[in-house]
Amino acid sequence: MRIVMVGSGYVGLVSGACFADFGHEVVCVDKAVEKIEALKSGVIPIFEPGLDALVETNVKAGRLSFTTDLAQAVGEAEVVFIAVGTPSRRGDGHADLGYVHAAAREIAAAMNGFTVVVTKSTVPVGTGDEVERIIRETNPQADFAVVSNPEFLREGAAIEDFKRPDRIVVGISDERARAVMTEVYRPLYLNQSPLLFTSRRTSELIKYAANGFLAMKITFINEMADLCERVGADVQDVSRGIGLDGRIGSKFLHAGPGYGGSCFPKDTLALAKTAQDHDSPVRLIETTIAINDNRKRAMGRKVIAAAGGDVRGKKVAVFGLTFKPNTDDMRDSPAIAIVQTLKDAGAIVSGYDPEGMDNARQIMDIDFASGPYQAAKDADVAVLVTEWNEFRALDLDRLRAVMKSPVLVDLRNVYRKPELDAHGF
């Protein structure tokens, strides 16, 4: 099939490359000339394991191409995916749909023959109706169907998630789109991946409900971790003990410094705002948001307490800056609030991340090190914020030797206390 991805960011690029790998003919479109030129020359603008090889293979095979010319690409397409950003709107926290609406207008003007327009971006309930209205208004003669097909990709494991999904959710209001979308996902459907067809509004809500529930699960175990510290229990054993219950499950029950990234913060906020607008507030999600916001700075205060209650003029080494391992994404990373809390208290901060340094430099004013041991040189305290594999097997004797004081705050529970005690921490 001839498929167009409007937006060549994280979702558009990963989805486009995977669809091309299925054998479809895919054109990724973006307004950013420098991004398209980079992609044409084989430079991938984001870090995602395996993506560079996948793009290279499919470009060479002639199934994947990149352009800034939306009109020509859409004019030849059977299916057009909208995969543009929907950031939180400044001021009120609602999802900003400006890019989605602009894409819908451009697609409407360029489409030729029956076209299925698919919203891949994460959008509030009712957005599909608005996209349909915009297309009809812009091009009254257009023959089209608007579909909701949310993505469920985890950064750092996106290709695996796309090719072996738990489910594929497709929301339709025009039966003609059912056969088209079944054909788009035929390789996955043949591999027994569940293809769930729903109404369009239901599909839009599934994405927000899923992310809201996972954010709530993370926040629940974080609150249990705080309680464990007060009563002398072990949160990792609590997590295992409840996670073995099939009704609960073990995933997303890892205590840490709070959730971040491109999805959970903005999607929980957008869900809460949508619910308020429809006079059906989601109190659990509202509370989850508040707890998570407070937790990040609380982790900074935990580091200050570990350093004796005062970090003014002291050096703090931060291991890991991205919101999770295997990505260079800094959006809403807990490290941002933790570093700011430390700097507000007068600390000198030195940080290191295997992939996020370039992005971190744009939002953090700290000393950037070339590795964990350089970051920790003469440090009064070190804090493990992001559980990259590189930090899972630190040479603890070497780390102890370069530090001024043997204090390590492990916000991801990577190390066991007896192990650290044995190395003098």
Side-chain angles (χ1 to χ4, degrees):
M1 299 193 79
R2 295 186 301 280
I3 293 174
V4 168
M5 281 284 163
V6 179
S8 297
Y10 189 85
V11 172
L13 188 55
V14 171
S15 302
C18 288
F19 279 136
D21 211 45
F22 292 164
H24 297 306
E25 190 179 310
V26 181
V27 181
C28 288
V29 180
D30 206 282
K31 286 188 181 299
V33 177
E34 64 281 3
K35 182 191 288 183
I36 292 299
E37 291 306 314
L39 286 165
K40 283 180 176 177
S41 61
V43 178
I44 308 298
I46 55 174
F47 176 75
E48 176 64 36
L51 184 58
D52 49 356
L54 193 68
V55 169
E56 183 184 1
T57 300
N58 286 284
V59 167
K60 279 183 178 170
R63 292 188 296 263
L64 180 62
S65 59
F66 305 98
T67 184
T68 55
D69 188 346
L70 181 143
Q72 184 182 347
V74 169
E76 298 170 354
E78 298 162 84
V79 185
V80 180
F81 284 85
I82 297 175
V84 296
T86 53
S88 290
R89 198 164 62 193
R90 284 194 177 178
D92 64 4
H94 282 273
D96 185 344
L97 297 176
Y99 299 119
V100 173
H101 294 164
R105 287 188 191 92
E106 288 192 53
I107 291 164
M111 64 173 60
N112 181 19
F114 178 64
T115 308
V116 176
V117 179
V118 186
T119 307
K120 198 75 172 156
S121 305
T122 301
V123 295
V125 177
T127 301
D129 300 355
E130 183 63 11
V131 167
E132 187 172 314
R133 188 196 66 75
I134 288 169
I135 293 173
R136 288 206 190 287
E137 184 182 86
T138 307
N139 183 356
Q141 272 71 53
D143 186 17
F144 68 100
V146 174
V147 168
S148 164
N149 174 218
E151 54 84 17
F152 299 99
L153 307 179
R154 294 170 300 159
E155 292 190 39
I159 293 167
E160 177 72 14
D161 283 352
F162 196 99
K163 292 189 170 187
R164 292 173 181 78
D166 295 328
R167 77 293 202 197
I168 303 151
V169 177
V170 181
I172 59 174
S173 61
D174 183 329
E175 274 300 318
R176 293 179 299 170
R178 186 186 295 265
V180 175
M181 294 305 292
T182 300
E183 184 62 24
V184 166
Y185 282 107
R186 190 164 62 93
L188 293 180
Y189 190 54
L190 292 172
N191 287 341
Q192 311 279 289
S193 294
L195 195 54
L196 174 65
F197 281 96
T198 71
S199 72
R200 203 162 56 197
R201 286 186 164 224
T202 301
S203 171
E204 289 167 342
L205 187 55
I206 285 170
K207 168 68 176 181
Y208 279 118
N211 278 357
F213 187 87
L214 292 175
M216 193 168 64
K217 202 171 175 185
I218 292 168
T219 304
F220 174 83
I221 200 64
N222 285 343
E223 290 213 299
M224 287 299 107
D226 291 344
L227 181 58
C228 283
E229 288 185 12
R230 295 300 177 94
V231 301
D234 184 325
V235 72
Q236 286 176 292
D237 287 342
V238 170
S239 175
R240 271 190 284 272
I242 64 175
L244 288 167
D245 185 328
R247 297 167 300 175
I248 296 172
S250 61
K251 292 181 178 176
F252 287 79
L253 282 181
H254 303 289
Y259 60 77
S262 60
C263 294
F264 287 180
K266 76 176 180 63
D267 292 353
T268 48
L269 195 54
L271 176 59
K273 295 296 181 182
T274 298
Q276 288 167 11
D277 283 352
H278 289 83
D279 229 359
S280 182
V282 283
R283 299 294 188 213
L284 282 169
I285 301 302
E286 290 173 5
T287 304
T288 294
I289 294 165
I291 294 167
N292 193 65
D293 287 345
N294 291 335
R295 183 167 189 81
K296 294 173 185 179
R297 284 190 73 88
M299 294 299 106
R301 294 193 294 273
K302 186 183 283 284
V303 177
I304 293 168
D310 182 14
V311 289
R312 186 161 302 282
K314 291 182 180 178
K315 181 177 175 181
V316 180
V318 177
F319 299 158
L321 302 172
T322 53
F323 86 94
K324 66 183 285 191
N326 296 323
T327 180
D328 59 353
D329 199 337
M330 287 292 301
R331 284 175 284 185
D332 275 297
S333 170
I336 298 170
I338 291 167
V339 164
Q340 194 55 57
T341 303
L342 294 169
K343 284 177 65 69
D344 289 347
I348 300 154
V349 179
S350 178
Y352 168 71
D353 189 277
E355 290 292 339
M357 302 282 266
D358 288 343
N359 288 338
R361 281 188 179 93
Q362 297 172 34
I363 52 178
M364 282 182 184
D365 180 21
I366 63 173
D367 297 326
F368 290 96
S370 59
Y373 305 105
Q374 189 195 350
K377 190 174 188 301
D378 298 324
D380 296 276
V381 58
V383 52
L384 200 166
V385 178
T386 313
E387 70 279 30
W388 285 88
N389 283 340
E390 187 173 334
F391 305 139
R392 289 183 176 276
L394 291 168
D395 182 335
L396 295 174
D397 288 329
R398 182 182 173 190
L399 185 65
R400 170 73 185 86
V402 299
M403 290 182 68
K404 189 174 176 182
S405 304
V407 181
L408 177 63
V409 181
D410 178 4
L411 297 182
R412 297 289 181 176
N413 289 333
V414 169
Y415 293 95
R416 291 289 186 173
K417 192 172 185 303
E419 179 186 15
L420 293 171
D421 289 344
H423 289 274
F425 280 91

